[in-house]
Amino acid sequence: MSLLFGAIQQGCFYGIVSMGVFLSFRILRIPDLTADGAFTLGGSIGASLILAKQPLLALPASIIAGCCAGFVTAFLQVKMRVLPILAGILTMSGLYTVNLAVQGGVPNLSLLREKTIFSFFSFLSRKESKFLWPLLCCLVAVLVLTLFLHTEKGLEIRCVGTNPNMARAQGINVGLAKTLTLMLSNGCIAFAGCLASQYQGYSDINSGTGTLLIGLSGLILGETIFPKVRFSLKLLAVVVGAIIYQLVIALVIRYSFFPAYGFKLLSACLIAVLIGFSKRKNGERENLE
């Protein structure tokens, strides 16, 4: 049971990451590599504010910082005409220095004995708080993003992702839509990074390494398990996929099916298999039609 609870907790963090990846990768069809830097940025800003005795500002500040990182990537793409992949790499590389500066030049910050979001409700035990807070934050993120994507601006973003030329012909500002989407995407990822740093009790400059791969794993797994779900439930399916992915990883660790240093290879192989399976299934459906 503890294995399941741990997978749900980790899955909620990375479910928020998968939602951010969903916005950029699935809606805009842009492989945004800013994710790794944005995740660390959220953790660094959150940890720094907590150490400055401002825990209430940690989450909103991390979201704003992530949105700023997304804005830089969007600016490089829209205004500077930099290729999307290269724009993400440039922003991610620059964020390494920014994150190190935020942490005061040290590679990690300890949050032990500091008051975090998990300390706010005294009537909850630490174990209960560490289970309920990630779940609550994840559900709120799902609700807010789902509602936003059904607003007029959200529909414009979805239209730009489907057919930017048609969207432009309809008078939609494509550049603005891309900028807003990338800001929301990286804001979500930084939010997850802030939660993760408080959950783990520290912020590390390399904590974001592989974040995009983990988020993509949850996204692809969720879409593979729930291929025909309505758009209003897609984000929830992505979160379920992230939880299942974390459960698989936890089982692998628990029973030593795979060496610890090989998880990145395992994730890459899993994504490749799931993408190939979904493409093959879609191809068969198109042939039948």
Side-chain angles (χ1 to χ4, degrees):
M1 189 61 69
S2 61
L3 193 70
L4 178 60
F5 284 164
I8 292 175
Q9 291 167 354
Q10 295 286 337
C12 287
F13 298 142
Y14 289 107
I16 298 174
V17 173
S18 294
M19 284 190 281
V21 174
F22 175 84
L23 292 173
S24 59
F25 185 80
R26 188 58 71 208
I27 291 185
L28 280 190
R29 293 174 171 79
I30 292 176
D32 183 21
L33 301 181
T34 314
D36 288 16
F39 187 86
T40 306
L41 177 64
S44 299
I45 293 229
S48 298
L49 286 171
I50 288 170
L51 291 174
K53 309 303 180 184
Q54 299 292 335
L56 291 176
L57 297 178
L59 290 179
S62 65
I63 295 173
I64 293 171
C67 289
C68 291
F71 176 81
V72 172
T73 302
F75 180 81
L76 291 174
Q77 291 184 31
V78 176
K79 298 297 183 182
M80 304 295 290
R81 305 297 181 184
V82 178
L83 291 174
I85 292 180
L86 182 57
I89 292 174
L90 291 173
T91 306
M92 178 181 64
S93 299
L95 282 175
Y96 185 87
T97 302
V98 172
N99 295 334
L100 202 54
V102 169
Q103 294 191 176
V106 296
N108 51 67
L109 297 174
S110 175
L111 299 178
L112 297 178
R113 300 185 182 89
E114 296 293 336
K115 187 175 181 180
T116 66
I117 190 175
F118 301 106
S119 309
F120 283 159
F121 294 127
S122 57
F123 60 87
L124 292 175
S125 68
R126 188 163 184 81
K127 187 175 182 180
E128 292 172 338
S129 182
K130 280 196 167 187
F131 177 76
L132 292 176
W133 265 111
L135 187 61
L136 177 63
C137 290
C138 185
L139 291 177
V140 169
V142 169
L143 179 62
V144 170
L145 285 178
T146 300
L147 292 175
F148 171 76
L149 290 174
H150 284 82
T151 62
E152 181 179 352
K153 185 59 68 175
L155 292 173
E156 288 181 1
I157 289 173
R158 290 160 60 183
C159 180
V160 168
T162 302
N163 192 330
N165 292 327
M166 179 61 71
R168 192 175 290 107
Q170 296 297 320
I172 297 174
N173 189 329
V174 174
L176 180 61
K178 287 183 177 180
T179 301
L180 181 59
T181 306
L182 289 173
M183 289 176 66
L184 285 173
S185 172
N186 288 285
C188 284
I189 295 170
F191 176 53
C194 184
L195 283 172
S197 68
Q198 295 180 63
Y199 176 83
Q200 295 165 353
Y202 67 91
S203 173
D204 189 87
I205 195 66
N206 296 312
S207 61
T209 303
T211 297
L212 179 61
L213 187 61
I214 296 174
L216 194 58
S217 299
L219 169 62
I220 300 298
L221 191 58
E223 290 183 339
T224 303
I225 297 173
F226 306 102
K228 297 181 180 180
V229 72
R230 293 182 302 173
F231 188 86
S232 57
L233 297 176
K234 279 186 178 294
L235 291 177
L236 191 58
V238 165
V239 172
V240 173
I243 292 174
I244 293 174
Y245 173 76
Q246 292 299 321
L247 181 60
V248 170
I249 294 298
L251 288 171
V252 170
I253 295 174
R254 180 74 173 271
Y255 297 105
S256 301
F257 291 131
F258 213 71
Y261 59 80
F263 290 147
K264 296 292 177 63
L265 177 61
L266 178 64
S267 298
C269 292
L270 178 62
I271 292 175
V273 170
L274 291 175
I275 291 177
F277 176 77
S278 62
K279 291 290 185 181
R280 183 181 180 85
K281 192 172 182 180
N282 291 335
E284 290 175 354
R285 189 181 299 118
E286 290 174 0
N287 290 335
L288 288 174
E289 292 174 354

